[in-house]
Structures are given as C-alpha cells and as structure tokens.
Amino acid sequence: MAGSGNKGLVPTRRAALTLIGAGALAAGRITPALAAAGDDEVLTEAKVLRDPDTPVAGNPNGNITIVEWSDYNCPYCRKVEPELRQVVQDDGKVRLVLKDWPILGPVSVTAARSALAAKFQDKYHQAHDALIGVSSRLTEPRINELLASAGVDMDRLKRDLAGRGSDIDALLKRNNDQAEAFGFRGTPSFIVGKYRVPGVLSMAEFEQVIADARKAKMN
C-alpha cells in the first residue's frame, strides 16, 4: 500500500472509534467498519457513503456499497482498478464510491483536484479513467495531456479550479479526515458494506467480501 497520510492537506486526526453496525468478522485483514464518536461525526454512514459531492460508479441504486480511497500516483491503486471494476460490472448491484485521497505529494493533489474539477463538466469518470490508467508516475504536464486526450475542456477546467477550488479542497479534506479516522495507512483502502478493507484484494476476495457484506446487511 502506498502512502501514510496526507500531512500537507490537513492535520492528523485521532478520532474515537465505535462500531457502525453488526456483522460477523471476515477473515484476515477485513474487519467491521468503524464510525467516529467525535463531536463532528466524521464517519457517519451518510458522510462516508452518501456525500453528494463524491463521484459514484457502478450501479447507483446497488444493494451494497464499496467506498475506495485512492491516489492517482499509487501503483497499487492502478493494479487493483481493472479487477475491482470487473467485479462491480459482473455483479451488477454494487455502488462504487470514489474518494480521492492524494497522499503521495503535490502532483497527486493536482491530479485529484483536476479530476474533481472535471466533474463540473460531467467528465469526472473520463478524467479518473485517464489518470488511473497510466503505468508511469504522473507529472503536471502529463496530467493536462491525459485530461485533454480524454475530452476534458481544459479552459473550462481552469475556470472551475479557480471558481470551485474551495469546494474541491473541502471534499478532499473530508476524504482525508475519514481515511485517518478509519486508521487507513495508505492507498488503496476500502469499505465494503460494513467491512473495513485496508489494502489490495484479488477479484475472488472482493467477490467473497461483497457476499459477506450482503449477509451482514440482512442480519
């Protein structure tokens, strides 16, 4: 897993943790998802799963939600992306929440801010796919090249970065606060239903934890 927290974006949070819901423990690194008991309720189910500013892929009306925290410069995020998307597509009933968590330096922040700015022209998913699909480390010129090739209006992007920058930064802060309160140490990290999954899973492991999450939801 890449990274250990975004110290340049927000201060470290040490939130008290309590259980979000019931459900048996899954094997290995997969544990019940946790919710903060702090005054600001960082990890409420609504804020983690239903932030209206956070992009959603898969089936928006799915009966189970996967939340992914990722960094565009993280090689593990790039590795897991096609397998996760295949699982989501094959299942057909998974709602995938995409939380940008740029913890690998200033270029990662630029990539995340640019992708989120593309949302205002309905091009977030094109931007996300372009940035996560490369095999080499990103640079700012490469980010601009990839986004333009993906059909993003770069003049509009610059205007949205200037005009909506505070909204984008507020969303990134929420993402970071949640990741730190969950105790995630790097990217990618996941919540699958009621389960906390810090790290990369195989397709079979994703399928198993999705099945476990559905069973827990019924209990």
Side-chain angles (χ1 to χ4, degrees), residues 98-164:
L98 301 170
K99 291 186 183 279
D100 290 282
W101 189 26
I103 57 177
L104 297 177
V107 174
S108 290
V109 175
T110 296
R113 294 182 85 250
S114 297
L116 290 168
K119 178 183 65 174
F120 298 110
Q121 52 180 287
D122 295 324
K123 291 290 178 68
Y124 173 85
H125 293 290
Q126 292 90 330
H128 174 87
D129 291 349
L131 295 174
I132 204 70
V134 296
S135 58
S136 58
R137 191 165 181 84
L138 293 171
T139 63
E140 291 194 23
R142 182 65 171 145
I143 290 168
N144 292 335
E145 177 186 339
L146 289 167
L147 295 183
S149 297
V152 175
D153 181 334
M154 299 305 289
D155 290 333
R156 168 74 187 274
L157 188 81
K158 291 176 183 176
R159 293 196 299 272
D160 287 330
L161 281 169
R164 306 298 292 272

Side-chain angles (χ1 to χ4, degrees), residues 6-66:
N6 193 339
K7 306 310 178 188
L9 197 61
V10 297
T12 300
R13 175 181 299 279
R14 290 290 178 265
L17 301 178
T18 55
L19 192 61
I20 252 179
L25 288 175
R29 296 167 291 124
I30 302 167
T31 60
L34 302 173
D39 292 340
D40 53 358
E41 297 182 321
V42 173
L43 298 186
T44 65
E45 191 165 340
K47 290 180 179 178
V48 174
L49 303 184
R50 304 285 174 182
D51 188 325
D53 295 327
T54 302
V56 173
N59 183 344
N61 299 312
N63 60 17
I64 206 74
T65 297
I66 296 178

Side-chain angles (χ1 to χ4, degrees), residues 146-211:
L146 289 167
L147 295 183
S149 297
V152 175
D153 181 334
M154 299 305 289
D155 290 333
R156 168 74 187 274
L157 188 81
K158 291 176 183 176
R159 293 196 299 272
D160 287 330
L161 281 169
R164 306 298 292 272
S166 60
D167 295 331
I168 293 168
D169 291 338
L171 176 57
L172 291 175
K173 181 181 185 301
R174 294 198 297 277
N175 293 350
N176 185 76
D177 286 351
Q178 292 167 7
E180 289 195 343
F182 271 123
F184 293 142
R185 295 182 178 274
T187 52
S189 291
F190 302 91
I191 298 295
V192 181
K194 296 177 180 179
Y195 295 123
R196 172 183 176 273
V197 186
V200 176
L201 299 183
S202 67
M203 288 181 68
E205 288 169 334
F206 269 121
E207 290 168 353
Q208 183 60 58
V209 75
I210 288 168

